[in-house]
Amino acid sequence: MRTTTRHWRRTALAATATLIATLPVLPAAAPASADAASGKASVWLTDPSTKTYLAKQPPVTWKSGPASSATAGSTITVDTTRKYQRMSGFGASFTDSSAWLVGTKLSAKQRETLMRDLFSRSDGIGLSFLRQPMGATDFTVNGNYSYDDMPAGESDPTLADFTIDHDRSYTIPLLKQARKINPQLTLMATPWSPPGWMKTSDTMNGGRLKPAAYQQLADYFLKFLKAYAAAGVPVRYVTPQNEPLHNTSAYPSMSLTADEAKTFINDYLAPTLRKQHLSTGILGYDHNWDVTSYPESLYTDAASAKNVTGTAWHCYAGDVSAQTVVHNDYPGKPAFQSECSGGSWEGDEQGGFAGAMDNIINGPRNWAQSIVRWNIALDGSGGPTNNGCQGCRPVVTVSQNADGTWSYKPTADYWGLAQASKFVQPGARRVASNSFGKGDLEDVAFTNLDGSTALITYNSSTTDRTFTVRWGNRHFAYTLAAGAAATFSWTGTQHGSTDPSAIGSVDVPFRNADGSQALITYDSGLLAQQPQARVGGQWLGYTLPTGASLMPPTGEAALPRDGWQVTASASSSDDPPSKAVDGDASTRWSLGHGMQPGDWFQLDLGSARTFDQLVLNTTASSGDFVRQYDVYTSDDGTNWGKPIATGPGSTVTRILLPKTTARYIRVVNKSNSGSWWSIHDLSVFAPDGKTTSPPAARVGLQRKNATLPNGTQLRVTYNSGSGAAYFDVPWGGTTYSYRLPAGAAAIVTKRPA
């Protein structure tokens, strides 16, 4: 039996007495409780290995003075004076399958109990964010549907047949019930596909938006938002398209490039909403971490910056640190996590809980304002599905019993969300804390509007860990089992200063013209997320937001390709290496398999040449760029030495180098990805000796210096103006000109090689 801290709710499920005894409910005590009044912090524990789920433990007592030497090496320091993003909430999605199961299979008493378990702050876990599909997804009960379906070959350009009646039977009643239980609930809405007649495929599965349908789709959004508001379910945010870079014929989807999204948002969706005086926020990108250029491209001009509120991230490719990279590039644009499903691929319950805690801790640590899992409910087989994910795990499982009745059971996702959502209220600010990273102690901390602080910890190592929590001049010690999570909650004001090196990161604040703050945060882990070149005995690095550029003091000329020979570690039979240098950007070299560390592409220039820049262009297959690279050079093709450049790839990977003379160039991939690495065009550039004269615009530029605890030096420049600005960047013995878009920040780093 699961460990809980109060009596089973006797009205929980009327179906069977046995089920009542196996469904724990949550204690009604306020998260910080009265423990703080006596100088203590409350403790709430989940440990799947012992079947302990959000169980209140004996409180811990704050102590003053130095901590015990036994735990000095494992100290989590919390600094509530350093504040970051405000949280919107934690939650999941009432997909059609989820809403159908909860709304039609559970009895009224079961449904009321489950909804309180999910959304109540007093006797539930207090979920406060829902991302709602606009129409069918890969989890629907009876196949595809939109709000304006037409027979094949027919269309409805005036949307005369638009209706949300499909959602009125079981989805909207649940959303209204959730809002009643938790009035602080935030809703986001996303289409997996517009109606098929708006698309080139004439179906909801795959295809692109027809040029003539842009305004029709904007009107479709408008009608949806108005209809939902009239039904008592106002929507705070929308995204133009779920996973716009994933186009499949298996279930509802649509390709929407960044340029298409920009056109749709700037010329159609945003103006349409404004005309109707709707303040709904538009999150321009709703997909994975591995393509940061897509959301950033929506921030690079004045119209996009005005119309796009922020970015919605998914967790299925790339690394969560991409959220911080994009935040630092464009610090005025908030981040949300809108989908991250756990599933059978994570193994048993312990593995599932680990995945949930990773998401819940590291999402906010990287600026996410929301953490949204996927399906709130699925049946015992992980369905009903609509040709989509096999093995996805819901927040609760709604299953049919042997006697034909139905019941629900919380999953690892429920308990993972509970460790945060019950203690972190909407409007809470994330505050500074250090974390030891995956495979060790991980944590994130928040301060609520009521003054309470919540520290969420998870032991992702394989052994029990004893550690110290330090807050100002106070501390306590705690031991956490491997695979267990504990949330500590307390009230009060921090006393005493915090050594910045204890946190490990630096904060660099700037001011906007309207008085608001733009805050850059940086730690040594971000070095791998920026291009770096070895210049003498130092690594010189720089960030380059989409829309920014670094220009050398002289012009650049592409080296002629006569005599070039290219090879690769592997190649698709249809895409040999030669197609990367054939001068035709529509052809490509491709790896032929998902990217793995050690994959390489090599160029023989035919003789030793001098160069200072490589450009790998994959625009024609924008998601297939190298994820993380090292660049080596060689005189003989055998001895390569140390890398001369490293960094992350992008759709157009522009690699700046110190002036180098060599015959051979090898680019080595360092990261895993399901995408095939492709190069449509590879160019090598050398200075042409002609002096360039970049504009001298510097309006709005602010600059600050900082130093990391490990000695890495930072020079941060922020453009708070309304147009692009330029400034000089010393690069070894050369000075480059940096073009920085409005609202963007640039970070130049220097560290020993």
Side-chain angles (χ1 to χ4, degrees), residues 327-499:
H327 169 86
N328 283 347
D329 285 349
Y330 287 93
K333 296 300 183 181
F336 299 78
Q337 274 198 20
S338 58
E339 184 183 321
C340 187
S341 182
S344 57
W345 53 88
E346 295 172 319
D348 60 10
E349 184 188 30
Q350 191 75 63
F353 186 67
M357 292 307 302
D358 178 42
N359 183 213
I360 287 155
I361 287 176
N362 292 303
R365 286 193 70 88
N366 287 275
W367 289 95
Q369 295 188 3
S370 67
I371 296 296
V372 182
R373 302 298 280 172
W374 184 201
N375 292 274
I376 277 186
L378 293 175
D379 63 24
S381 300
T385 64
N386 185 25
N387 296 322
C389 174
Q390 300 297 314
C392 276
R393 184 180 61 251
V395 176
V396 296
T397 300
V398 176
S399 302
Q400 190 170 24
N401 304 314
D403 62 359
T405 61
W406 290 73
S407 59
Y408 71 86
K409 179 181 179 182
T411 70
D413 287 56
Y414 180 95
W415 300 115
L417 286 166
Q419 290 291 147
S421 59
K422 189 169 179 65
F423 308 96
V424 182
Q425 305 162 17
R429 294 280 294 273
R430 179 174 65 89
V431 295
S433 67
N434 63 306
S435 180
F436 295 93
K438 294 182 180 180
D440 208 321
L441 289 170
E442 302 181 66
D443 69 89
V444 63
F446 306 88
T447 295
N448 290 303
L449 294 175
D450 64 7
S452 63
T453 295
L455 170 66
I456 302 160
T457 63
Y458 176 66
N459 182 2
S460 59
S461 75
T462 57
T463 59
D464 295 358
R465 294 297 306 275
T466 298
F467 57 96
T468 295
V469 173
R470 177 165 289 281
W471 178 51
N473 58 13
R474 299 196 293 173
H475 69 272
F476 63 75
Y478 200 79
T479 298
L480 192 59
T487 299
F488 303 93
S489 183
W490 66 87
T491 59
T493 302
Q494 178 176 323
H495 297 286
S497 60
T498 300
D499 183 351

Side-chain angles (χ1 to χ4, degrees), residues 216-246:
Q216 295 163 2
L217 181 56
D219 292 338
Y220 182 83
F221 270 86
L222 176 64
K223 283 182 171 287
F224 167 82
L225 292 170
K226 285 190 167 184
Y228 256 56
V233 188
V235 174
R236 178 67 188 89
Y237 301 101
V238 294
T239 68
Q241 173 62 40
N242 172 68
E243 299 190 345
L245 300 179
H246 179 62

Side-chain angles (χ1 to χ4, degrees), residues 198-200 208-216 260 263 268:
M198 293 187 185
K199 300 166 63 181
T200 57
R208 311 182 82 92
L209 187 64
K210 294 177 180 177
Y214 277 65
Q215 185 59 53
Q216 295 163 2
E260 290 168 340
T263 298
Y268 299 94

Side-chain angles (χ1 to χ4, degrees), residues 686-707:
D688 66 3
K690 299 177 181 178
T691 302
T692 59
S693 299
R698 296 177 181 270
V699 177
L701 286 180
Q702 303 176 47
R703 294 182 179 179
K704 292 187 178 181
N705 297 325
T707 302

